[in-house]
Amino acid sequence: MNLKDKLVSSFLAFDDYLEDSSPIHDIRNKAIKIFENKGFPTKKEEAWKYTSLNPIVNKDYSIFPKKESSIEFKDVKRFFLHDIDTYKIVFIDGIYSSYLSETIHDNMDICLLSAALKKPKYRAVIEVYYNKIAENDSLTSLNTAFAKEGAYIYIPKHKEVEKPIEIINFATGNEAALMMQPRNLIVVGENAHVQIIERHQSLSENAVFTNSVTEIFAEKRAYIDYYKIQNDASNASLIDNTYIKQEEESHCSVHTFSFGGNLTRNNLKFYQHGEHCDSTLKGITIIENKQHVDHSTLVRHIAPNCESHQDYKGLYADSSTGVFNGKIVVEKDAQKTNAFQQNNNILIDDKATINAKPQLEIFADDVKCSHGCTIGQFNEDALFYIRTRGIAKKEAQALLMYAFANTVLESVKIPELKVRINKLIAKKIGVSIGFNI
Amino acid sequence: MLKVKNLHASVDDKEILKGVNLEVNAGEVHAIMGPNGSGKSTLAAIIAGKDTFEVTQGEITFNGEDISELDPEERAHKGIFLSFQYPVEIPGVSVTNFIKTAIKETRRANEEEDMPASEFLKLIKEKADLLAIDRKFLSRSLNEGFSGGEKKRNEIFQMAMMNPKLSIMDETDSGLDIDALKIVAKGVNKLKNKDNAILVITHYQRLLEHLVPDFVHILIDGIIVKTGTKELAYELEEKGYDWIKEEVKT
Ligand SMILES: Nc1ncnc2c1ncn2[C@@H]1O[C@H](COP(=O)(O)OP(=O)(O)OP(=O)(O)O)[C@@H](O)[C@H]1O
Ligand SMILES: [Mg+2]
C-alpha cells in the first residue's frame, strides 16, 4: 500500500478514538478529504517543480509509534541550549516527554497542544486561532487531519517571557521508518515578547519523515523571534509549514539554519494584517553530498506602512541542491510598503545546483521593493589574499563562508545560540577555528 | 634569503616573466621599478605563491629551500609577506579578527604557542600607534569601504603585526598622501633590522627618500634590465624609461 492510501485508511481508526465533541473534529474530517483529493504534491506543480517527494514517500512509515520510548537527558543534552535556562517542550517519537520538558502554566501557557485541545479552559483560544491561518494545501491538510500533539504557547498581553522556549522533536529510531506530524500553536498577545527555538532531531540512521505545521499569531506590538535549527541526521526529511499572522506594529523574525537532514522543505508564510509591521526572514543553508534544501517564502503585505526583510545565504558542496522561491505580494491597500529580498548562493562544487526564483506581485503604486539574487563561486583573489596571511585554504574558505553568512548570524538575538550556530558551521565545514566575527 | 633564478612565468600561454634573476639578503632593502605592465606585481605574486601563473622555468629559493611547490600559506609561515597593490575587500571579517586568525594559524603551523590575549592586545596597540591608525578602524570589516590610502596603511599594519622575514611592498606608496607616506615609511624603517629584508615595488622616487634602498632594479617587459643604487631612481624620475630601453637595445 502506498503512503497516501495508508494514511487515508489509518485516519478512520485515528478519528474513531476522538470524541465527537472535540472542537477540531470537523476540521480534521475536512482536511483528510482535501489530502485524499490532492495527494502528495508532485513536480508537476509549480511550487514543487524543483523538489521531488518521491524518494521520501515511497517508504513504509509507521504512522503511530507502537510504544513509548524514553531517552536519558545526558544522551541528548547537546541538542539543548544547555548553557542557559530555557523552557522546554520535548517530544519523543511524537509523544510528549514530561521528563525532558520544562513547561509552565503561570500567567502564560507553555505546554502541550494535546492538553489545549482537550481541556475546556483553552477552548476559546482554540476556537479563535486553531487552523485559522494554516492553508489547505495537501501537506498542511495532511497535518491538520492527524494533528494531535505539539507545542501550545499562549503569552498574554504585556508579558515578556524571560527565557527562550525550546521545542524539540526527537526520533529514537525504534521504528524502522517513522512519520511524524507535529502541530504547534503559538499566540503572542499585545506587547508580549517571546523567543523560540525549534529543532527536529533524529537519534539514529533510520528514516524519519516529519510534516510539521506551526501557526503563529502576533498581536499588536508583539515581538517574536523564532529560530529553526535544521541539523538532522542524514536520513531524516522535514517539511516545515509555518504560518505567521501579524497585527499592527508587531515584529516577527524567523531564522532558519539548514545544515543537516536529507530533504528539507521550508514553507514560510507571513501575513501582515496590521500597519507598521516588521517581518524578517533569514536563513543560512550549508549542505553537501546529496542533501536538498528548499526555501519557499511568502510575505503578503496586506496593510500599509509595513516592512519585510529577507536574507537567505546558501553554500552548496558536492552534488547538493538548493531551491529558493521567494514571493512578495503587495496588495493594493499596502501603500508605503518596504520589501527587501536578498538571496546569495555559493556553489562550492561544479555538481551542486541552486534554483532561485524571486517573485514580486505588486498591486499598490507607492512601494519600495527590491530583490537581488547571486550565484557564484569563492572569490579567488580573496582566497589568495587570505592565504598569504598564513591562513590555509580550507580555513580561508571557512572565513569567507562566515563572512558570507554573517549578515544572517548577526541578527540572532540569543548570544548562546549564536555561539552554538557558529560551532555547528565550523563543524559542518570541518575547521576547528572559531572566528567569532 | 630570497633567490630568484632565471624565472619564466606565463598566463594563458602569454609569457610575462622572461628570465628574472634576483637575490635579496637579510638586512637589505631592494626596490623594483619599471613601466606599467612590465611584470612587477606578477613577480611579487609568484613569490607569494599565486598559482594562476605558470612557472615554466627557473627556481625560487627562500633561505636555501626551494619554495616553488609551496602553498601561499606555507610561504607565509616561513616569513614571506606580500603587501598588495590592490588589497581585497572581505566584508564581514574585522581587521582585528583577521589578524588574530592570521597570527594564530601561523603560530600553529610553526608549532609555537598561541599568543596570549594580553600580548596580542599590546601588540595591536603598539603597531596601531606606530602607524597612527585609529583603533576604531580595527573593528571595521577588512578593507571594505576603506579609502585607497587606508587600504595601504592597513597592509603595512598587518605586515607589522606578522613581523615577516621578507616583506614585499607592491606600490604601497600609490594612494598614500604625503603625510601618510612619511608615517608608513617611518614605520617600515622601525621594523627593519639586520635579519629581515624588504622588497619595494614603486613608480616614484619619493618613498625611496624615506626608505633608502641598497639596490634598485629596473624590470622591463619581464626581465631585469638594469640594477643600480638609489641614484638610479633619481635618474629615472628625471629621464623616464626610454633611455634604458635604448640602452638595452644596443
Ligand atoms: N591573470 C592574468 N591574465 C592575463 N594577463 C595577465 C594576468 N595577470 C597579469 N597579466 C598581464 O601581465 C602583465 C604584467 O602585469 P603586472 O600586474 O605584473 O604589471 P605591473 O608591472 O605590476 O604593472 P603596474 O605598474 O601597472 O602595476 C600585464 O600585461 C598584465 O595585463
Ligand atoms: Mg603592479
Side-chain angles (χ1 to χ4, degrees):
Chain A
M1 197 181 340
N2 71 29
L3 185 59
K4 181 190 161 189
D5 295 342
K6 182 171 175 177
L7 284 160
V8 171
S9 58
S10 2
F11 180 78
L12 297 172
F14 173 68
D15 191 50
D16 260 0
Y17 100 114
L18 253 188
E19 293 163 40
D20 279 350
S21 64
S22 167
I24 60 167
H25 195 84
D26 281 353
I27 295 176
R28 273 184 181 158
N29 277 306
K30 275 192 197 122
I32 194 68
K33 290 212 177 72
I34 293 170
F35 174 72
E36 196 175 354
N37 278 332
K38 292 185 181 169
F40 285 106
T42 67
K43 289 181 95 170
K44 288 197 194 97
E45 291 168 47
E46 189 60 28
W48 290 85
K49 200 167 161 189
Y50 299 109
T51 297
S52 169
L53 291 180
N54 272 341
I56 298 169
V57 299
N58 283 340
K59 293 199 177 85
D60 185 24
Y61 295 97
S62 302
I63 298 169
F64 310 108
K66 287 178 205 72
K67 58 171 196 247
E68 272 188 48
S69 311
S70 66
I71 32 187
E72 295 280 328
F73 178 66
K74 67 170 173 44
D75 295 332
V76 291
K77 186 178 165 194
R78 66 185 188 280
F79 302 117
F80 291 90
L81 203 59
H82 53 79
D83 20 24
I84 55 168
D85 199 12
T86 57
Y87 291 111
K88 300 169 186 67
I89 313 172
V90 182
F91 305 96
I92 300 172
D93 294 337
I95 296 165
Y96 175 65
S97 162
S98 60
Y99 169 64
L100 292 175
S101 298
E102 193 183 323
T103 57
I104 186 168
H105 292 284
D106 183 17
N107 185 29
M108 58 180 169
D109 291 291
I110 298 174
C111 61
L112 310 182
L113 185 72
S114 57
L117 290 177
K118 267 181 226 127
K119 294 187 186 156
K121 73 166 179 171
Y122 298 109
R123 190 150 187 154
V125 175
I126 297 294
E127 270 169 10
V128 176
Y129 296 103
Y130 187 82
N131 207 43
K132 289 299 183 287
I133 40 164
E135 288 179 354
N136 57 9
D137 62 279
S138 68
L139 287 161
T140 307
S141 301
L142 176 62
N143 177 289
T144 303
F146 284 92
K148 60 171 183 173
E149 192 56 289
Y152 172 82
I153 298 172
Y154 184 90
I155 314 295
K157 54 175 151 178
H158 306 311
K159 174 78 191 168
E160 282 189 36
V161 183
E162 72 288 7
K163 53 191 189 187
I165 303 168
E166 294 185 88
I167 305 171
I168 308 191
N169 294 279
F170 288 111
T172 58
N174 284 347
E175 308 282 336
L178 178 67
M179 180 167 186
M180 289 191 288
Q181 307 213 55
R183 176 80 173 213
N184 306 314
L185 177 63
I186 297 161
V187 181
V188 183
E190 186 179 331
N191 197 31
H193 296 223
V194 69
Q195 296 176 321
I196 298 168
I197 301 158
E198 180 192 333
R199 187 163 188 157
H200 301 267
Q201 192 62 51
S202 164
L203 303 172
S204 79
E205 284 306 311
N206 286 353
V208 177
F209 175 22
T210 304
N211 176 37
S212 164
V213 171
T214 303
E215 291 181 281
I216 302 173
F217 295 85
E219 298 299 340
K220 232 165 132 176
R221 286 197 302 282
Y223 278 76
I224 305 174
D225 293 308
Y226 205 105
Y227 304 96
K228 291 174 185 282
I229 302 176
Q230 301 176 341
N231 191 36
D232 214 341
S234 62
N235 211 5
S237 294
L238 171 67
I239 294 168
D240 179 312
N241 307 282
T242 297
Y243 302 93
I244 301 181
K245 183 180 178 197
Q246 289 187 250
E247 299 299 341
E248 252 174 87
E249 292 174 51
S250 61
H251 286 65
C252 291
S253 73
V254 175
H255 288 71
T256 308
F257 299 100
S258 313
F259 307 141
N262 171 23
L263 178 151
T264 307
R265 163 76 175 226
N266 288 294
N267 296 314
L268 178 57
K269 304 193 173 181
F270 276 73
Y271 301 90
Q272 296 183 333
H273 281 263
E275 283 193 52
H276 300 288
C277 288
D278 193 293
S279 309
T280 299
L281 301 78
K282 292 191 179 193
I284 299 175
T285 303
I286 305 177
I287 51 173
E288 61 195 338
N289 299 327
K290 289 195 145 109
Q291 287 183 285
H292 178 92
V293 172
D294 177 345
H295 287 287
S296 279
T297 68
L298 166 72
V299 179
R300 190 172 276 278
H301 290 273
I302 300 161
N305 296 308
C306 294
E307 293 194 8
S308 66
H309 304 266
Q310 297 189 57
D311 184 2
Y312 281 83
K313 299 280 157 75
L315 286 147
Y316 306 90
D318 305 326
S319 48
S320 61
T321 49
V323 181
F324 178 78
N325 216 327
K327 189 168 175 178
I328 299 171
V329 180
V330 182
E331 295 194 356
K332 71 176 195 311
D333 291 338
Q335 298 294 359
K336 307 265 183 227
T337 292
N338 281 329
F340 306 103
Q341 186 187 85
Q342 191 66 38
N343 171 231
N344 308 100
N345 304 288
I346 291 180
L347 301 178
I348 298 169
D349 293 291
D350 296 346
K351 282 176 291 168
T353 53
I354 166 82
N355 286 293
K357 186 172 151 203
Q359 279 172 276
L360 301 181
E361 289 178 12
I362 302 172
F363 301 101
D365 45 29
D366 186 14
V367 300
K368 260 194 225 142
C369 280
S370 74
H371 67 90
C373 174
T374 61
I375 299 171
Q377 260 112 24
F378 280 124
N379 178 341
E380 286 298 326
D381 290 335
L383 274 179
F384 176 60
Y385 182 83
I386 298 169
R387 293 176 75 187
T388 63
R389 271 38 173 173
I391 300 169
K393 187 177 179 186
K394 200 165 167 196
E395 279 73 17
Q397 284 185 338
L399 192 65
L400 289 178
M401 284 191 200
Y402 275 91
F404 174 72
N406 198 39
T407 55
V408 174
L409 265 181
E410 69 185 1
S411 55
V412 171
K413 294 203 187 84
I414 306 170
E416 293 79 6
L417 182 64
K418 200 191 270 186
V419 170
R420 190 66 75 81
I421 292 164
N422 256 321
K423 284 187 187 156
L424 285 180
I425 294 177
K427 197 169 166 210
K428 180 80 188 177
I429 57 190
V431 294
S432 61
I433 38 178
F435 292 109
N436 86 70
I437 23 185
Chain B
M1 183 183 281
L2 175 76
K3 280 191 192 140
V4 178
K5 271 190 222 150
N6 189 31
L7 185 70
H8 290 252
S10 45
V11 60
D12 304 332
D13 291 332
K14 177 183 155 201
E15 189 161 55
I16 298 169
L17 299 182
K18 301 169 179 170
V20 174
N21 290 293
L22 180 69
E23 181 167 346
V24 179
N25 296 306
E28 294 177 349
V29 177
H30 288 241
I32 296 182
M33 302 180 80
N36 294 133
S38 59
K40 302 180 298 297
S41 295
T42 303
L43 176 62
I46 289 175
I47 296 171
K50 187 155 187 161
D51 62 5
T52 42
F53 300 102
E54 194 196 348
V55 174
T56 51
Q57 256 189 75
E59 64 172 25
I60 307 172
T61 62
F62 189 68
N63 289 327
E65 185 192 347
D66 182 359
I67 57 164
S68 40
E69 293 296 313
L70 296 187
D71 287 332
E73 58 269 27
E74 293 172 312
R75 299 182 199 211
H77 300 155
K78 294 196 181 302
I80 296 176
F81 183 92
L82 173 60
S83 167
F84 280 62
Q85 181 177 1
Y86 304 108
V88 183
E89 300 196 359
I90 320 263
V93 182
S94 74
V95 177
T96 305
N97 276 315
F98 182 61
I99 297 175
K100 198 190 280 172
T101 309
I103 290 178
K104 193 173 168 186
E105 292 297 295
T106 301
R107 288 194 160 216
R108 191 160 77 173
N110 290 327
E111 293 178 5
E112 292 168 40
E113 294 268 301
D114 242 5
M115 186 183 280
S118 59
E119 195 184 317
F120 179 75
L121 288 175
K122 219 179 99 205
L123 195 66
I124 280 251
K125 186 179 172 345
E126 185 191 312
K127 302 304 180 193
D129 289 349
L130 177 71
L131 295 162
I133 288 174
D134 187 346
R135 305 288 278 293
K136 268 186 258 145
F137 194 78
L138 303 177
S139 54
R140 280 176 59 180
S141 270
L142 187 61
N143 293 325
E144 192 186 25
F146 287 17
S147 75
E150 285 167 345
K151 282 183 184 166
K152 296 303 175 66
R153 199 188 294 216
N154 183 251
E155 291 292 285
I156 302 307
F157 175 63
Q158 291 177 41
M159 182 174 120
M161 291 292 294
M162 305 280 298
N163 191 24
K165 292 211 174 62
L166 173 69
S167 302
I168 306 169
M169 295 163 55
D170 191 356
E171 293 199 26
T172 302
D173 50 351
S174 0
L176 289 176
D177 67 46
I178 298 162
D179 294 334
L181 184 76
K182 277 188 197 150
I183 294 167
V184 166
K186 220 172 98 193
V188 175
N189 273 321
K190 264 249 174 74
L191 302 171
K192 209 176 84 184
N193 60 41
K194 65 177 185 1
D195 297 320
N196 60 23
I198 299 168
L199 184 60
V200 272
I201 295 169
T202 181
H203 287 294
Y204 308 106
Q205 193 270 329
R206 216 172 46 211
L207 174 66
L208 304 179
E209 271 171 28
H210 304 284
L211 187 61
V212 184
D214 300 297
F215 300 96
V216 175
H217 310 276
I218 313 297
L219 184 74
I220 295 179
D221 195 19
I223 197 153
I224 290 179
V225 293
K226 200 174 173 69
T227 296
T229 53
K230 63 176 196 285
E231 284 72 25
L232 185 55
Y234 283 98
E235 216 175 334
L236 280 177
E237 185 102 1
E238 265 175 40
K239 303 199 283 193
Y241 289 105
D242 283 349
W243 64 280
I244 297 182
K245 286 181 188 160
E246 284 305 315
E247 215 179 88
V248 175
K249 267 187 207 156
T250 53

